[in-house]
Amino acid sequence: MKSYPRWPSLCDAEPSEDLEDLFENAPCGYLSMRPDGRVAKVNRTLCGWLDKQPEEIVGKRFRDLLNVPGRIFYETHFAPLLRMQGFFNEVALDLKTSDGSTIATIANASERRGDKDELLFTRLTIFKATERRRYERDLVDAQSTEREARLRLEENNADLTADVAEQVANRLLEKQNADLREQFIAVLGHDLRNPLAAINAGRRMIEKSHPDAKTARITRLMGESVTRMSGLIDNLMDFARGRLGGGIGVEIRHGDRIEPTLAQVVNEIRSSHPDTEIELRFDIPQTVDVDHARVAQMFSNLLGNAIAHGSKARPIVVDAGIVDGVFHLAVSNGGEAIPPAAIERLFQPFYRGDVSPSSQGLGLGLYIASQIAEAHGGQLDVNSDEIETKFSFKLPIT
Amino acid sequence: MSVVERNNIRLHGAGDRTMVFAHGFGCDQNMWRYVEPAFRHRFRTVLFDHVGAGHSDLAAYDAAKYASLSGYADDVVQIGRELDLQNAVFVGHSVSAMIGTLASIEAPEMFADLIMVCPSPRYIDDGDYVGGFAADDIEELLASLADNHMGWSAAMAPAIMGNPDRPELGEELTNSFCRTDPEIARQFARATFTSDNRADLPKVKARTLILQSSDDIIASEQVGEYVHKSIPGSRIVYLKASGHCPNLSAPDEVISAVAKFV
């Protein structure tokens, strides 16, 4: 048997698109409003979203599908817009469902006008926009987060700028202070030393032109005063350097023996104090890297103190050596113990113990000595009891 | 920036008297596009945008000044002085009816006639007074606006912000007549919907006409009648038009009522 192609039935198998069905079950909501704003027609899709029957919507005002804020916004923004441009696009509307919740939608609307330009219907096409609204909310949140972050950043920048400005100002002030300090020290050195040098020169001239014993005694005393005053000026300058910020500078010389430096100081002291007995215990088998002039200054100060405050009945003992990689230089003398309260303040500037008026200085000697010790990375300590008072400078050398 | 640029003032028509049209919360001076031209043959007409709306100068927006309607009223008085207005007609839609009220009290010689389209001196119910909204409704509105997703796609908001210097781009934007910077919209909404100008109404000396729409959820008949009773010698005309914007939905009816009054 011959078979024929079944054209007609094939065509029948293709369902033809039904416009009524397209309207009712389109994948978007359709709604038409009469000119008075009441709903004329609504499709099944939108009814489904709102969980309402068509008769619950038709004849009601469209705005009643919105919540109160939505109504205000609709009346003040979208209704005027429709009248002005005949349409609106991509407007976000929250529609109320039968259970009182809302669904987020995006709506387009256009007016349908008649032959005489009279308004017949306003048609709305409505899309669910839950996800989109969420993205928009995220975007808004991100924007406000970004704005806050930017504000914070600007604040931080402002703070930072202020900090930098303050630091620059401080540096400038430090620089000005340093300049002032140098100026002060230069003035101190120049203005005090020059007249002293003139006095000393005059003293020598008197010494030469009047070679009698009485004059010699007077000029010798004058010489001692000049030496003492010169020492005070040195101390004052060191103090100024140390206290006004620069610190006492040391210039370390490498590879030189320290013993000759110490011996020279002892010789100088012996020549000016011939009655004082000084016992030396030097055992310095290797070189010590120090600022020799500064160590000499410190040592001279310690010896001077020992002579001024120690008992004449006992010798001053100088012990210098290296034990376990630590160089030590100790000066000890007999006599009364220094009271504990005085020991605490011994290394502070302008501290003067109970000494006779003739030996009064500025109270800077031990302060400067301790500063010199620190500037070398070492330290100066004191131990005092009824037997002896001992100042020790200790400096690690390895 | 001059007042003319700040408020995007547009002048048309000619006549012995001047008629100033003020838009309300929501849109801009385009609200008057079907009404204003009808008066050009008898009046010099003035259209303007409140600061923050339309093509006003957004840089002039000062949150403190515009926190209350008096800030907007001050601008109206400034506009009047700039244009040397005397014996003029002020036509205010919605909240601008109250802005005009304040301006006419501030400068009584400026406006002889006050025409209020859909006015409300207070939107929130208060005891026996029915404004139409509960305080919670307005809070909800303000909160929605603060959320910045009310009405418009948030993603499109930057387009509003981006174009204040290039109004020609704004023209190409659909919906542009009623777009506002979201922050400004929120503050204008607060100034509008939390206002209470009931005590100012009896102080109005200008001849006053109230145009009352039917079925207006923003300003109900009850509210219109309250305004009418509170302003001595005022007239009220009930329009057939429904909704809050009869100037757009029924311009002929509005034109005829205004023309009869002036």
Side-chain angles (χ1 to χ4, degrees), chain A residues 61 63 68-69 71-73 75-78 80-81 83-85 87-89 91-92 132 136-137 140, chain B residues 25-27 30 33-34 133 137 141 145 147 149-154 174-175 178 193 215 217 244-245 248:
Chain A
R61 292 185 191 86
R63 70 181 184 217
V68 173
R71 277 177 220 168
I72 294 175
F73 216 76
E75 287 293 319
T76 54
H77 289 72
F78 304 135
L81 199 56
R83 302 292 172 169
M84 284 191 275
Q85 63 184 22
F87 68 93
F88 63 63
N89 284 336
V91 155
R132 174 175 168 155
E136 288 174 2
R137 178 64 65 89
V140 168
Chain B
F25 167 73
C27 302
N30 280 290
R33 66 199 327 197
Y34 305 131
F133 297 97
D137 293 337
L141 169 73
L145 289 169
D147 271 356
H149 79 272
M150 171 64 98
W152 310 110
S153 269
T174 59
N175 305 346
C178 303
F193 290 103
D215 199 22
I217 57 155
H244 190 57
C245 300
L248 287 170

Side-chain angles (χ1 to χ4, degrees), chain B residues 196-212:
Chain B
D196 185 353
N197 297 100
R198 290 175 293 175
D200 297 306
L201 298 177
K203 300 178 198 160
V204 172
K205 295 282 181 285
R207 281 176 72 235
T208 302
L209 171 68
I210 297 143
L211 297 187
Q212 180 61 49

